[in-house]
Every structure is written in structure tokens, then in C-alpha cells.
Amino acid sequence: MGAAQGGPQAPLTLITALGPFLRAALHSYVTIERERIMASVANEAIRRMNFGWLTLDASGRILNSHADETSLLGHTGPLLRGRDGRLTSADPQVAHEIVAAISASVKEDQPRPRAIVLSRDPWVDMLLVASSIGPTATGPAPALVAYIHADNWSSADRCDQLCQLFNLSQSEARLSLALSRGMSIAEAAVELGLTVESARTYSKRIYSKTGTRGQTDLIGLIHRSVLPFA
């Protein structure tokens, strides 16, 4: 008799008791799914802009890396993982710059970000910054984060795209590309085999065609365009 009375009520009682836990589990599931979608979109944006990252300890050993970044860490890429696990390069000059930048960064009380050009064609550069990431369950806190930007296109391709976007000549596009990568007029002139006066003349034409007021404005225009997503 007691079993008969309690039988039909038991499932309902159990569901009622589990209700708060089911609501919490559903809320957690929805939150995790939302975060997963946001992370997927963010990762896709990072991939399209050709950015990646590496975390390093104070000696320059690689602790972790972004999934898309592993393509840069190979025998033919601009970066290498040395036998001791440290970040290096096949180019001796670049390898020296990396070691010097890491050493200086870990010694400073308030380290400033340091930029290194790893390759010029295609363009690959790296920004080394002090890490604000704490220790994790999988390992110690990294001392530095290396943000790496790689261009999938050759300089010639980028110049063609600049010509299409802003109606520039090839000479103007080459100078625009050099200026957008942080070179001064004088540095760009040497890079492109121009006189400084010729480079200045080209720059005036570039500013006129693009409606910009100088190099800083030009850099902003180029980086706000669709070029980084090509």
C-alpha cells in the first residue's frame, strides 16, 4: 500500500529535487557554448590577420604556442625551436636579436615591448612583451609573450593590392608598403634604391591619392583597409 502511494510521486519528487541542479547545469552549458562560439570567432579573426603567439620562460624556452603558430617553427620558417627548447632563428643576426631582446626584457623592472623583423619577404615580425599570465595547472607562469605577425603574400602581391585599393603606381605602392611597415622616408629610400628626395616626392603623391596627412595617417588607413584580411 505504501509502495503504491509513493510510486507515482517518486519520479515527480525526484525531478523537483533535481530542478535547481538541472537549471544550473543548463545555464553552465549555455555559457560554455557562448564562450566557445566567441572564442571560435576570435580565433578566426586572428587567423585571418595572420597573428599567432608563443609563451616563453625567462631563458627563452618555448612553453606554449598558438595552434597556427607551429607552421613558423620549422626547418624552413623564420623561427626555430632550438635543441634546448629556446626560441631562435636560422638567420644568425635575427637569432642574436632574439637573445638580446629576451635578455633585456627579463632584466628590466618595467620591460618595454620589443619589435623584431624576422623576415622581409614575405614579411614576418614579432613583438616581445612581458607576460601578465599567472601560473596554470599545466605549468609555470610565462615570463614573456611573443606575438608574431606573418604575411601570406609576397611584397609584390601586396604592392599589387595597394595599387588596386588606392590607385597607386607600382613605385608609390612599394613606398607605401615600406612606410606601412614602420620605415622612415630615409630608411625606405635605402630599401627601395631611391634618393631621399625621390622618396619624398612619391610620398606626397601617395598622401594626395589616399587623402592622408602623413605617414601615421597612411599607416592607419592601410591597416584599417581590407588588406590585412586578404
Side-chain angles (χ1 to χ4, degrees):
M1 184 76 173
Q5 290 177 344
Q9 296 296 325
L12 181 60
T13 302
L14 180 60
I15 292 173
T16 301
L18 290 175
F21 301 100
L22 293 174
R23 282 195 296 271
L26 182 60
H27 177 74
S28 297
Y29 173 77
V30 171
T31 300
I32 291 170
E33 275 298 290
R34 186 182 295 118
E35 292 295 328
R36 184 187 65 79
I37 292 169
M38 291 175 64
S40 296
V41 173
N43 282 334
E44 177 64 11
I46 291 171
R47 186 192 66 79
R48 285 183 173 273
M49 295 182 73
N50 300 310
F51 274 96
W53 53 261
L54 304 165
T55 55
L56 310 172
D57 67 12
S59 68
R61 287 187 179 86
I62 299 170
L63 300 176
N64 207 343
S65 65
H66 186 261
D68 291 339
E69 198 52 50
T70 54
S71 61
L72 292 172
L73 288 169
H75 296 296
T76 59
L79 291 174
L80 300 174
R81 186 193 298 265
R83 292 182 179 178
D84 56 2
R86 288 183 172 88
L87 183 66
T88 185
S89 172
D91 184 325
Q93 182 178 345
V94 174
H96 176 75
E97 289 184 43
I98 292 173
V99 171
I102 292 172
S103 177
S105 295
V106 298
K107 288 178 181 177
E108 293 175 354
D109 292 332
Q110 294 182 325
R112 56 186 174 82
R114 286 174 165 82
I116 301 173
V117 176
L118 304 174
S119 170
R120 292 189 175 276
D121 199 6
W123 186 270
V124 184
D125 52 19
M126 178 173 71
L127 186 67
L128 199 65
V129 301
S131 172
S132 59
I133 304 169
T136 67
T138 59
L144 300 165
V145 179
Y147 295 102
I148 302 168
H149 170 248
D151 197 337
N152 289 333
W153 297 93
S154 69
S155 294
D157 291 325
R158 283 304 187 198
C159 287
D160 287 342
Q161 292 161 2
L162 284 168
C163 290
Q164 294 161 8
L165 280 175
F166 304 113
N167 195 30
L168 303 177
S169 69
Q170 280 290 333
S171 297
E172 292 164 351
R174 284 194 292 270
L175 180 59
S176 296
L177 186 62
L179 295 177
S180 75
R181 289 171 172 171
M183 295 184 193
S184 66
I185 291 285
E187 290 169 337
V190 173
E191 180 82 7
L192 301 175
L194 301 171
T195 65
V196 175
E197 282 305 314
S198 294
R200 285 185 179 137
T201 299
Y202 284 134
S203 70
K204 291 175 183 177
R205 294 177 188 168
I206 293 165
Y207 300 148
S208 176
K209 288 183 178 181
T210 58
T212 52
R213 295 183 296 274
Q215 182 174 354
T216 301
D217 204 14
L218 177 67
I219 292 172
L221 175 67
I222 290 174
H223 286 285
R224 287 194 305 271
S225 73
V226 296
L227 205 65
F229 289 91

